[in-house]
Amino acid sequence: MSASRKRTSLVTKLDQLECHFTWALKKDDIDLNRLDRQLKVDVERKEKLTQTYNALAYVKFLQGFQEEALSNLMTSLKLYKECHEEELDKSLIITYGNLAWINYHMTNYTECESYLQKVLKINENISSESSSVPEVLGEKGWTFRRFSYKYYEKSKECFKKALDLEPEVGKWNAGYAIALYRTEYREFTIEKSPAIKQLRRAIETNPDNDVLKVLLALRLVTYKSYEEAERLVEQALERSPDHPRVLRYAGKFFRNKGRVDQGIALLRNALELSPNSSFIHHQLALCYKMKKIELLQKGNHQARAQQVQQIRDQIIYHLEMATKHATGFITALSELALHYGEKHEISRAEQMFHMTFETAKEKNDNLHVVHFHYAEFQSYSKREEVLAIKHYMECLKMNPGSYEGRRSENKLKRIAEKRINKNTQVGKAYGILGFIHKEKGEKSLAIECYEKALSYGENDEYLTNLCSLRLSI
């Protein structure tokens, strides 16, 4: 067989494997440097080591370091064999698959075929396809969750399939609970929330997992179940006072409850354990932002100007650190640009917003968030209400159900109501209200507002919207 035909034959077999190389993990969806650091922290903490080394190997491959990728896979295999005698275990399907692929890329075709044979032998000993093996589904779900928020739905699907096959296994219950926590955006009652129900089930099957308890507490707070939530956080902190994920989620919990100083203290402890965590730096920035808002609400801004600036400097520092450790952190980048604007560094803010818009468009990542923060910048730093309206509208149009979408709706309503109350630009005010109703699917109210807007003067955009709405009813 010619070398070309041999490679084609190998690729056909490789494509049928279940491993990182066949899961469509796209380089453009992943912040590789950030993920690299996170996985190395997991290695230091000895968390899910065989899975972590598998994931780290694929990250190194994407970064172009094939030798390091191979080394990490061999470490994963070694760690597995130290704990298990069986070499045909289902858990090795992914590691052997990755080893086959990396050896193929390194043109080690004999080794590649050897690992393909090992996968084949495992598959001969199991009654189902590799794609239906719980261990494969579990690691696949964990990988999707770890690599990018864009894969959270895929992660949820994998853990649900694993759980359907083995409903009593704790790690599948935990994986599915975390996936639901990260993908449940609709509001339910506390009794009907799938995330809350599954987090409770996951805690039953993983009673020592304190991260699950804090996540449940965070979700309970959204339904105002404060007493149970605080009890869970206290239990988690008492049992796991040095666990970075417990500390950071507990810090977020106390920020959400308005106990900002307590949140800052916990997040600073977490930062000592994970100094390069963009998540922790971002949470600290949000805590200081809350302190700034509280201070401004007390009034007498001139007397408090120095104190406000000191807090703003803390916000900017932590946002700069968050974006340093996660260069593609769109939300933190746009928040940083907004705070440069607050500090009257207008040119620097504009430059960062321009860069962040480009990055968000290129990555298809949180563009609505950038529009919201840019609208805030135009509204408060540049006093350009027309541009602010434009970008609030873009945010609402892109993601009406998001936090930023809801904030944009409220901002637009305030602008419209202020104009109507002052009897200035009333036609445009009703045009704004018509737009809000249109985006919310409230066609009759939108038509009513657009008709009022037209009564104050001809506007082609309002007329076009009015016609299209009438035709759709």
Side-chain angles (χ1 to χ4, degrees):
M1 184 186 294
S2 69
S4 176
R5 287 182 64 188
K6 184 174 183 179
R7 284 196 299 272
T8 302
S9 173
L10 281 174
V11 168
T12 301
K13 295 174 185 175
L14 289 165
D15 281 337
Q16 295 171 21
L17 298 175
E18 282 286 341
C19 64
H20 293 73
F21 287 84
T22 61
W23 291 340
L25 299 162
K26 298 176 183 176
K27 192 174 181 178
D28 290 344
D29 291 339
I30 305 161
D31 186 335
L32 290 173
N33 292 331
R34 180 185 183 188
L35 182 56
D36 189 2
R37 285 193 298 271
Q38 290 173 340
L39 291 170
K40 284 174 180 173
V41 169
D42 288 350
V43 167
E44 289 170 9
R45 291 186 58 80
K46 303 191 182 326
E47 291 185 5
K48 301 182 186 295
L49 280 176
T50 54
Q51 290 181 13
T52 301
Y53 275 111
N54 261 334
L56 193 54
Y58 191 67
V59 169
K60 289 300 176 187
F61 168 76
L62 291 178
Q63 290 174 324
F65 305 122
Q66 294 186 358
E67 291 288 350
E68 281 190 61
L70 179 59
S71 174
N72 281 309
L73 288 171
M74 295 309 294
T75 301
S76 175
L77 187 58
K78 177 173 176 272
L79 288 167
Y80 180 86
K81 288 184 175 180
E82 284 175 359
C83 302
H84 305 82
E85 291 183 7
E86 179 58 64
E87 287 199 23
L88 296 179
D89 193 284
K90 301 177 280 194
S91 300
L92 286 171
I93 288 171
I94 295 166
T95 307
Y96 284 151
N98 284 335
L99 279 163
W101 266 104
I102 195 64
N103 277 290
Y104 170 80
H105 281 292
M106 296 174 75
T107 67
N108 300 328
Y109 299 134
T110 302
E111 288 84 349
C112 172
E113 287 182 321
S114 171
Y115 287 114
L116 279 168
Q117 286 301 311
K118 288 178 185 293
V119 176
L120 182 62
K121 283 184 181 178
I122 294 172
N123 287 336
E124 286 172 353
N125 286 344
I126 58 179
S127 57
S128 60
E129 296 289 327
S130 294
S131 58
S132 299
V133 172
E135 288 82 356
V136 171
L137 288 164
E139 186 163 348
K140 191 174 183 179
W142 179 85
T143 301
F144 281 139
R145 190 180 79 215
R146 209 77 175 89
F147 271 54
S148 173
Y149 78 91
K150 293 183 179 182
Y151 303 142
Y152 283 173
E153 287 293 338
K154 290 183 178 181
S155 173
K156 182 172 74 175
E157 290 168 14
C158 290
F159 281 119
K160 179 66 170 67
K161 287 177 183 176
L163 199 58
D164 287 343
L165 294 165
E166 296 181 344
E168 301 302 317
V169 174
K171 55 189 175 182
W172 311 150
N173 274 286
Y176 187 49
I178 295 169
L180 280 173
Y181 171 85
R182 292 187 177 178
T183 55
E184 186 175 286
Y185 303 115
R186 279 180 55 206
E187 287 189 11
F188 297 86
T189 62
I190 194 168
E191 295 81 14
K192 292 186 177 179
S193 162
I196 288 177
K197 181 180 178 182
Q198 184 56 36
L199 280 163
R200 292 193 192 284
R201 173 63 182 149
I203 290 167
E204 285 177 14
T205 54
N206 300 269
D208 296 330
N209 190 324
D210 292 309
V211 173
L212 292 172
K213 292 172 187 174
V214 187
L215 291 179
L216 175 57
L218 280 167
R219 191 44 55 100
L220 287 170
V221 164
T222 64
Y223 296 95
K224 297 182 172 51
S225 182
Y226 299 119
E227 191 175 330
E228 182 186 2
E230 191 147 352
R231 187 169 63 249
L232 284 163
V233 172
E234 286 172 357
Q235 287 175 7
L237 287 170
E238 186 177 342
R239 286 170 41 85
S240 303
D242 298 321
H243 195 298
R245 288 196 180 95
V246 169
L247 288 169
R248 73 188 199 179
Y249 291 132
K252 181 178 179 179
F253 170 83
F254 286 114
R255 174 178 65 80
N256 288 349
K257 279 204 71 185
R259 289 156 62 176
V260 185
D261 289 331
Q262 196 169 352
I264 288 172
L266 287 166
L267 288 165
R268 289 207 171 280
N269 289 342
L271 198 60
E272 288 182 16
L273 297 166
S274 304
N276 297 329
S277 169
S278 57
F279 177 94
I280 297 170
H281 277 294
H282 185 236
Q283 287 297 315
L284 279 164
L286 294 178
C287 284
Y288 282 109
K289 182 180 176 182
M290 187 175 282
K291 283 180 79 75
K292 181 193 72 176
I293 292 167
E294 288 173 355
L295 200 58
L296 290 171
Q297 286 173 343
K298 291 178 181 177
N300 197 1
H301 295 177
Q302 195 170 1
R304 302 178 192 278
Q306 186 177 356
Q307 197 176 353
V308 169
Q309 188 53 54
Q310 287 172 346
I311 293 173
R312 186 178 289 120
D313 288 341
Q314 284 288 331
I315 297 168
I316 288 172
Y317 166 75
H318 286 294
L319 287 173
E320 285 177 340
M321 294 303 290
T323 55
K324 175 187 173 183
H325 295 307
T327 53
F329 196 163
I330 300 297
T331 301
L333 284 166
S334 60
E335 286 172 338
L336 179 56
L338 178 61
H339 281 86
Y340 285 150
E342 280 190 21
K343 204 176 176 182
H344 308 297
E345 296 181 15
I346 302 300
S347 176
R348 189 178 188 184
E350 286 277 21
Q351 187 178 7
M352 176 158 277
F353 270 121
H354 177 74
M355 179 269 290
T356 308
F357 268 119
E358 292 301 313
T359 305
K361 288 173 187 173
E362 184 183 325
K363 294 168 72 73
N364 190 26
D365 179 9
N366 279 325
L367 184 56
H368 71 285
V369 176
V370 191
H371 277 291
F372 173 74
H373 286 128
Y374 193 58
E376 295 278 275
F377 168 68
Q378 292 295 338
S379 183
Y380 298 107
S381 296
K382 296 192 73 179
R383 305 293 179 184
E384 294 281 356
E385 191 171 75
V386 173
L387 272 173
I389 290 167
K390 175 187 173 184
H391 288 280
Y392 284 135
M393 285 180 164
E394 285 297 321
C395 176
L396 179 59
K397 196 158 47 176
M398 285 181 178
N399 201 332
S402 66
Y403 170 77
E404 292 80 12
R406 294 193 300 272
R407 289 280 308 277
S408 293
E409 180 185 337
N410 290 333
K411 297 278 185 174
L412 288 167
K413 280 180 181 174
R414 281 188 209 168
I415 291 169
E417 287 163 2
K418 182 181 73 175
R419 289 183 175 188
I420 292 168
N421 290 335
K422 289 186 174 182
N423 200 28
T424 58
Q425 297 184 305
V426 178
K428 289 182 180 178
Y430 279 113
I432 292 169
L433 293 175
F435 170 82
I436 292 169
H437 289 306
K438 179 169 73 74
E439 292 304 314
K440 293 175 75 175
E442 299 165 349
K443 294 180 182 179
S444 296
L445 290 171
I447 288 171
E448 186 181 326
C449 286
Y450 281 130
E451 285 175 340
K452 284 183 180 178
L454 285 168
S455 72
Y456 284 89
E458 190 75 13
N459 185 299
D460 289 342
E461 183 185 349
Y462 302 155
L463 193 58
T464 302
N465 283 325
L466 186 58
C467 291
S468 65
L469 283 164
R470 281 175 172 161
L471 287 169
S472 66
I473 288 179

